[in-house]
Amino acid sequence: MTETKDKKTFYITTPIYYPSAKLHIGHAYCTTIADAVARFKRLAGYEVFFLTGSDEHGQKIQRTAEEQGITPLEYVDKIVASFQELWQKLEISNDDFIRTSEPRHHKVVQDFFKRIQEKGDIYKGEYTGLYCTPCESYWTELQLDENGCCPDCHRPVEKVSEEAYFFKMSKYADAVLKHIEENPDFLEPVSRRNEMINFIKQGLEDLCVSRTSFDWGIPVPGDEKHVIYVWFDAVINYITPLFGDAEKMKKFWPADIHLVGKEIVRFHSIIWPCMLMAADLPLPKKIYGHGWLIIGGDKMSKSKGNVVDPMLLIDEFSADAIRYFLLREITLGQDGNFNRDALITRINADLANDLGNLLHRTLNMIGKFQKGILIAPKGENEIDKSLKSDAMETAKNYRRLMENMQISDAVRTVWKFIGRSNKYIDETAPWTLAKDETQKQNLANVLYNLAESLRIVSILISPYMPATAKKIHDQLKVNQPFEKIQLEDAETFGRLEDNHEVGKPEQLFPRIEVK
Ligand code: MSP
């Protein structure tokens, strides 16, 4: 995936979130996917850079702060702190967090602006048009919905007319169209790709990139009464931590994946690539437009009043249970339903039962029949052979599916193997073997194979449920430090040593009683 870079590196981003409201579980969905991919890549031996942040400028923030009688910065400081707290609670492993109000970001945006301006791709003109403040988007008459409102959020647009700077986006329309058409991997899934191709074919106008009607933003260099358009400022966050540092730039740029929601694919697959072309920088390798989390058939959003607070869910069910649900239940690229009953069913069936029981039964039997000590296996029968080959097949499929961003399929593959391991217990009936002295080695083989299966499972689930993976690792008392474990360790069966002592079983997930 990163052949053009000099090292095995991987750079993934989420969008930067607006601090206009509390984050809901729909936002957490996007960040959880990115986190699972980042953790998977680290496991696969990549040096990963995972970026998220907050998109703090714009008229809407300024207005809200004014209404509350505080400065925009005072307003965003509090909300952004709550984002960071949420990501911590959800075990998001981001390597940096960009606040667009930070001086380091201002500098990069202004440098980027000047670079394009000096090239002649930014010019001053007069803007008259229709602006949607909540979406911070400009629209033409033709693009409005049937009620003359914003085609994205369906709220009224405002007519604005002012002196403004423009970016010569039209100049890059053909090049960006060609890039999308010639590189099927650049924009996924294919439905979004087709949508964007049609959009560009209708013609791209130059983009208005400055405003004078408010000042909560980054000033245009040399003409401070203008602030830079919030989307122009926002997408640049993806290079903020790298720009101006040649080594970092070489190491991580172009980004491997910008993971974004489907409604902002246009900004990422058209505007941002045009900006990068103008700045003579390589384009990101992939834009992935995921679907929405919907609730009762509607997109979850604050304006619809149907949001689910992720903090409360985490407190009630644990971060790992929420992460598991989001990754398992929704096929990436499609919309998916969030439903409390479905969440509880998954926790009870997949986590408490399938995974919890496998761990509990295995450690319990090793404790009871062999005083907690594993004995190296000798010989194997057909059932043992099939379990081992299933384990290796699972690890192989998992790697392929995760590489292809088929995350829910990868989760399912692991759970199929967990089910298979539970079945192995029933097939081999260790409690019967334990009654027969002549079956001692067979019993040892079974218990060893089960412990190994769990060791492999704990590695494979670590990108999805890092805390649970660590608990299994600790209960198995695997010698290797958890942080040093690599995907390759799950691709060999038989790593645990003769005489290895395992721990006592502790519950991973309590069953949720349904009222
Ligand atoms: N600030 C811009 C992004 C700038 S990126 C340079 C923005 N912010 S947002 O807070 O409105 O949305 C951030 C992300 O959350 C988007 O990718 C959006 O699709 C995602 N989601 C918001 N609601 C969602 C759901 N109900 N379901 C899934 N994702 C959702 O747009």
Side-chain angles (χ1 to χ4, degrees):
M1 242 168 176
T2 46
E3 315 71 46
T4 55
K5 296 179 191 168
D6 56 347
K7 265 197 176 156
K8 208 175 163 191
T9 64
F10 185 79
Y11 179 22
I12 182 165
T13 68
T14 72
I16 49 173
Y17 299 90
Y18 289 131
S20 47
K22 256 176 108 169
L23 294 183
H24 57 66
I25 192 80
H27 300 114
Y29 170 61
C30 183
T31 313
T32 302
I33 300 166
D35 186 64
V37 175
R39 286 178 184 271
F40 165 74
K41 283 289 179 178
R42 289 190 197 107
L43 200 61
Y46 286 77
E47 185 178 348
V48 170
F49 188 50
F50 169 24
L51 185 69
T52 186
S54 51
D55 187 359
E56 303 182 12
H57 294 130
Q59 190 166 17
K60 193 174 157 195
I61 302 278
Q62 183 165 340
R63 277 189 191 160
T64 317
E66 277 162 8
E67 279 160 24
Q68 297 187 8
I70 51 177
T71 66
L73 193 59
E74 282 167 340
Y75 171 74
V76 290
D77 273 351
K78 245 195 334 229
I79 299 182
V80 172
S82 78
F83 287 10
Q84 286 167 330
E85 194 194 336
L86 172 62
W87 300 147
Q88 226 175 9
K89 263 188 120 162
L90 197 57
E91 299 183 74
I92 302 301
S93 62
N94 55 300
D95 298 288
D96 201 345
F97 185 99
I98 297 293
R99 293 188 58 175
T100 55
S101 59
E102 287 175 85
R104 63 169 171 160
H105 179 68
H106 282 220
K107 180 173 179 340
V108 173
V109 171
Q110 290 188 324
D111 288 352
F112 195 100
F113 192 99
K114 271 192 277 184
R115 187 157 162 174
I116 311 186
Q117 196 173 26
E118 277 158 17
K119 201 176 162 189
D121 282 344
I122 284 182
Y123 61 92
K124 207 179 209 178
E126 169 86 4
Y127 179 77
T128 310
L130 303 158
Y131 191 69
C132 172
T133 306
C135 293
E136 312 273 11
S137 295
Y138 295 100
W139 301 104
T140 62
E141 287 287 348
L142 279 178
Q143 290 167 330
L144 299 181
D145 71 6
E146 61 283 9
N147 300 316
C149 292
C150 169
D152 269 352
C153 73
H154 306 289
R155 281 177 277 204
V157 290
E158 283 175 65
K159 194 157 194 166
V160 295
S161 184
E162 57 190 42
E163 178 193 91
Y165 285 89
F166 286 83
F167 165 50
K168 277 189 190 166
M169 196 157 74
S170 55
K171 179 175 159 188
Y172 296 97
D174 290 343
V176 81
L177 178 62
K178 187 162 176 268
H179 188 81
I180 296 176
E181 287 184 324
E182 287 178 358
N183 298 279
D185 289 346
F186 174 68
L187 176 51
E188 285 184 331
V190 69
S191 53
R192 315 264 184 266
R193 187 166 166 259
N194 295 337
E195 236 175 83
M196 290 304 118
I197 289 175
N198 288 338
F199 188 90
I200 305 173
K201 282 186 174 163
Q202 286 166 24
L204 286 189
E205 290 177 3
D206 289 350
L207 181 74
C208 176
V209 290
S210 79
R211 301 288 308 274
T212 51
S213 51
F214 64 95
D215 58 13
W216 176 236
I218 302 174
V220 166
D223 196 355
E224 312 254 310
K225 73 173 189 296
H226 289 261
V227 292
I228 294 172
Y229 172 43
V230 66
W231 266 102
F232 192 90
D233 148 2
V235 282
I236 293 175
N237 96 86
Y238 299 129
I239 57 164
T240 292
L242 315 175
F243 207 57
D245 181 335
E247 216 164 279
K248 267 192 158 174
M249 203 61 191
K250 188 163 169 234
K251 199 166 181 184
F252 291 114
W253 193 260
D256 292 270
I257 302 183
H258 289 320
L259 185 69
V260 301
K262 61 182 180 182
E263 83 283 17
I264 58 172
V265 164
R266 184 170 63 95
F267 295 96
H268 287 83
S269 64
I270 301 178
I271 299 180
W272 177 224
C274 287
M275 288 165 62
L276 287 165
M277 282 177 185
D280 297 313
L281 288 170
L283 305 192
K285 295 193 178 163
K286 189 190 293 299
I287 316 292
Y288 198 103
H290 66 74
W292 287 335
L293 217 60
I294 51 181
I295 193 155
D298 237 339
K299 183 191 178 202
M300 191 181 293
S301 74
K302 194 181 169 232
S303 57
K304 297 201 173 97
N306 61 357
V307 295
V308 175
D309 183 345
M311 284 285 197
L312 297 179
L313 279 184
I314 295 170
D315 286 342
E316 190 175 358
F317 299 109
S318 82
D320 274 11
I322 307 304
R323 292 172 61 106
Y324 175 76
F325 179 81
L326 295 174
L327 296 165
R328 162 70 175 76
E329 197 75 3
I330 301 147
T331 304
L332 192 63
Q334 295 173 14
D335 289 347
N337 248 304
F338 181 83
N339 174 322
R340 196 183 155 87
D341 292 344
L343 168 67
I344 292 176
T345 305
R346 286 260 160 247
I347 294 175
N348 284 344
D350 301 5
L351 304 182
N353 261 7
D354 295 347
L355 179 60
N357 280 348
L358 179 63
L359 179 72
H360 195 270
R361 289 163 94 192
T362 301
L363 293 184
N364 208 25
M365 289 190 292
I366 300 171
K368 195 164 150 199
F369 303 142
Q370 292 182 174
K371 300 197 172 68
I373 311 284
L374 291 177
I375 300 164
K378 287 200 190 78
E380 58 182 6
N381 61 26
E382 285 309 310
I383 306 177
D384 302 335
K385 241 194 240 165
S386 100
L387 178 84
K388 287 194 228 171
S389 85
D390 279 354
M392 293 304 90
E393 194 63 17
T394 302
K396 202 169 97 196
N397 288 338
Y398 168 92
R399 189 191 271 272
R400 177 180 50 80
L401 292 166
M402 287 299 289
E403 290 281 359
N404 291 340
M405 303 282 288
Q406 289 172 267
I407 299 171
S408 56
D409 291 334
V411 178
R412 251 169 243 156
T413 300
V414 179
W415 255 259
K416 198 167 150 216
F417 179 66
I418 292 170
R420 202 268 165 268
S421 305
N422 272 318
K423 196 163 152 238
Y424 177 77
I425 301 182
D426 302 334
E427 287 168 348
T428 54
W431 46 89
T432 310
L433 299 176
K435 286 185 195 140
D436 182 348
E437 193 54 28
T438 67
Q439 293 297 319
K440 215 170 160 187
Q441 184 60 49
N442 279 345
L443 173 66
N445 291 358
V446 168
L447 297 180
Y448 181 90
N449 290 342
L450 284 168
E452 262 298 293
S453 299
L454 272 163
R455 183 188 65 80
I456 290 167
V457 165
S458 105
I459 299 173
L460 301 185
I461 66 169
S462 63
Y464 315 141
M465 302 198 292
T468 306
K470 171 120 184 14
K471 280 186 196 162
I472 300 175
H473 173 95
D474 290 348
Q475 291 185 42
L476 286 171
K477 292 194 175 165
V478 178
N479 285 328
Q480 230 175 338
F482 183 68
E483 303 68 36
K484 294 257 156 65
I485 285 189
Q486 293 280 294
L487 186 53
E488 285 163 10
D489 297 317
E491 292 171 329
T492 325
F493 199 97
R495 285 282 175 94
L496 290 168
E497 284 161 11
D498 188 23
N499 274 325
H500 175 82
E501 184 172 2
V502 300
K504 294 212 162 42
E506 278 164 41
Q507 192 178 47
L508 296 177
F509 293 91
R511 267 191 78 81
I512 315 283
E513 290 309 323
V514 190
K515 292 187 190 99

